[in-house]
Amino acid sequence: MLKSSARLKAFGRRNKQIGLAPGSVVYSGEFTNEPISIDLFRVEADVASYERAVTLDTALDVTQNELRWIDVFGIHNTRIIRRFGDAFQIHNLTLEDIVNPEHRAKVEVFDDYLYVVLRMLWLKDGVLEDEQLSFILQDGLVMSFQERQDDIFDPIRQRLTATPTRFYDGGAGYLLYSLIDIVVDTYLLVLDHYDMQLEALEDTIVSAPRRHTLDRITTLRRDLITLRRALKPLTSMMHSLINANSGFLNEGTKAFLRDVSDHTNEASDRLEALREQLSNLHELYVTNLSIKMNEVMQVLTVISTIFIPLSFLVGVYGMNFAVMPELTWDWGYFVLWAFMLTIAVVMLVMFRKNDWL
């Protein structure tokens, strides 16, 4: 049911885009009721200020000799997105990508800015959340665009407040690196979570698999597919970002980005290992299920085999012939019971001796 619902939503999003001219700034996501909010960080030398829910005019007011981070929540309001595009000379194709939250990770280099898009993944109450994250990098300015208020950037906000000089000296490129770095670190945390989930699943399959175990395997497979869709293009995106011919990223920042690229490769390798492990666990589940089914069938077969001679005896003495000498014996009933029990015990011993039970 959930899978069909996701497909219908994806179909609806694509249906909105059919026939639109290139560069059409039309939101195609599903979070149309999210509140619009703009947060602003200003860093000047050794002082940082953080303003929440500022007005659009305040966010667009550029001050010289400061590092700025404009964090926009709620991309369904395309009027605000167009205002940012007009104020900072952002191409309409980039604005179209920002409001279309279904993109793979990529980087695009323009004369006036650098555009980076990637998937932000995190766990909320044990459920995997997936959201597109767009960045615009200019001289002294980083803009981020998100669909919802939830994000993973609180540690960066705290670091900006605690050590503003480091960010000011590193410039906007270093701030962008820090934001990408925490996204990739969160991928590693998510992978740690699924590593533990698969270990627990393996223990369950080995000890006592149940019907809901297959549902759990299916859910984990879908989550790992979501992870793979986000992580696989991120590897090539990091390579493109490091090798981008852009003055907005200096060599010092690219050295940090190469470290993030290493973490991305590590996450990709771990993800492939988890996918292989989940596939093996599915095979183990099917095998255990078959073994248990065979055990049940074996027990039922043994029971049926034991009752074959007993049913024969009961059938013989249940016939309505007038002359059956055994029916007149005083101990005939008890002798028949003893004989049938002896047959059952002998057959059980024989089955046990041959390791059929």
Side-chain angles (χ1 to χ4, degrees), residues 128-151:
L128 183 64
E129 298 286 341
D130 174 26
E131 182 179 341
Q132 177 173 299
L133 186 60
S134 299
F135 293 110
I136 299 290
L137 173 65
Q138 291 184 336
D139 188 23
L141 172 66
V142 174
M143 289 183 286
S144 56
F145 298 89
Q146 308 177 51
E147 284 189 280
R148 294 173 286 175
Q149 289 282 348
D150 291 332
D151 66 20

Side-chain angles (χ1 to χ4, degrees), residues 269-282:
D269 291 341
R270 288 183 57 188
L271 176 59
E272 291 305 314
L274 287 177
R275 295 180 71 236
E276 183 177 354
Q277 182 182 357
L278 182 60
S279 179
N280 293 337
L281 288 179
H282 181 260

Side-chain angles (χ1 to χ4, degrees), residues 27-126:
Y27 177 66
S28 58
E30 58 181 294
F31 299 101
T32 55
N33 296 321
E34 286 291 316
I36 305 295
S37 178
I38 304 174
D39 292 353
L40 177 62
F41 250 108
R42 302 174 187 262
V43 182
E44 298 181 72
D46 57 351
V47 178
S49 62
Y50 179 34
E51 302 174 62
R52 295 182 61 87
V54 301
T55 64
L56 180 59
D57 291 335
T58 301
L60 297 178
D61 183 20
V62 179
T63 304
Q64 298 296 324
N65 300 322
E66 71 173 7
L67 171 64
R68 295 161 58 85
W69 174 22
I70 303 174
D71 197 9
V72 181
F73 301 97
I75 58 176
H76 56 277
N77 190 325
T78 56
R79 181 186 64 83
I80 292 178
I81 303 301
R82 288 193 185 93
R83 284 286 303 276
F84 277 106
D86 294 338
F88 297 103
Q89 289 78 52
I90 301 172
H91 200 284
N92 274 356
L93 288 175
T94 301
L95 299 179
E96 179 186 16
D97 288 347
I98 289 174
V99 298
N100 178 17
E102 293 296 323
H103 282 289
R104 292 158 55 95
K106 65 176 181 177
V107 56
E108 294 180 348
V109 181
F110 293 84
D111 293 336
D112 298 325
Y113 63 92
L114 195 68
Y115 175 58
V116 177
V117 58
L118 67 161
R119 309 300 302 180
M120 178 171 60
L121 301 177
W122 73 99
L123 292 166
K124 185 176 182 180
D125 299 327

Side-chain angles (χ1 to χ4, degrees), residues 1 28 30 38 40 47 62 69-70 72 98 101 106 117 141 154 169 207 216 235 253-254 257 285 310-311 316 342:
M1 192 69 176
S28 58
E30 58 181 294
I38 304 174
L40 177 62
V47 178
V62 179
W69 174 22
I70 303 174
V72 181
I98 289 174
K106 65 176 181 177
V117 58
L141 172 66
D154 282 340
D169 293 340
S207 59
R216 183 59 182 154
T235 304
T253 301
K254 288 185 177 181
L257 289 172
Y285 170 76
L310 305 186
S311 299
V316 168
T342 300

Side-chain angles (χ1 to χ4, degrees), residues 105-257:
K106 65 176 181 177
V107 56
E108 294 180 348
V109 181
F110 293 84
D111 293 336
D112 298 325
Y113 63 92
L114 195 68
Y115 175 58
V116 177
V117 58
L118 67 161
R119 309 300 302 180
M120 178 171 60
L121 301 177
W122 73 99
L123 292 166
K124 185 176 182 180
D125 299 327
V127 178
L128 183 64
E129 298 286 341
D130 174 26
E131 182 179 341
Q132 177 173 299
L133 186 60
S134 299
F135 293 110
I136 299 290
L137 173 65
Q138 291 184 336
D139 188 23
L141 172 66
V142 174
M143 289 183 286
S144 56
F145 298 89
Q146 308 177 51
E147 284 189 280
R148 294 173 286 175
Q149 289 282 348
D150 291 332
D151 66 20
I152 56 177
F153 295 134
D154 282 340
I156 301 299
R157 297 183 181 101
Q158 295 171 10
R159 285 171 53 194
L160 272 166
T161 304
T163 58
T165 303
R166 184 170 186 178
F167 286 90
Y168 184 79
D169 293 340
Y174 180 79
L175 175 57
L176 176 65
Y177 144 75
S178 301
L179 296 171
I180 295 176
D181 181 52
I182 199 169
V183 170
V184 175
D185 286 345
T186 305
Y187 278 38
L188 295 173
L189 289 177
V190 170
L191 290 171
D192 287 340
H193 168 79
Y194 284 104
D195 196 5
M196 292 186 291
Q197 290 291 310
L198 291 184
E199 287 183 5
L201 181 63
E202 182 176 8
D203 293 338
T204 301
I205 291 175
V206 171
S207 59
R210 295 289 184 268
R211 290 182 180 271
H212 70 272
T213 304
L214 184 59
D215 295 334
R216 183 59 182 154
I217 291 174
T218 303
T219 301
L220 288 172
R221 178 180 285 118
R222 290 177 184 173
D223 287 351
L224 292 185
I225 289 174
T226 301
L227 269 167
R228 188 171 185 270
R229 287 175 178 170
L231 188 53
K232 187 176 180 180
L234 183 60
T235 304
S236 58
M237 185 276 280
M238 290 302 304
H239 179 76
S240 300
L241 186 61
I242 292 169
N243 294 283
N245 185 17
S246 172
F248 300 115
L249 295 173
N250 56 43
E251 288 303 317
T253 301
K254 288 185 177 181
F256 288 115
L257 289 172

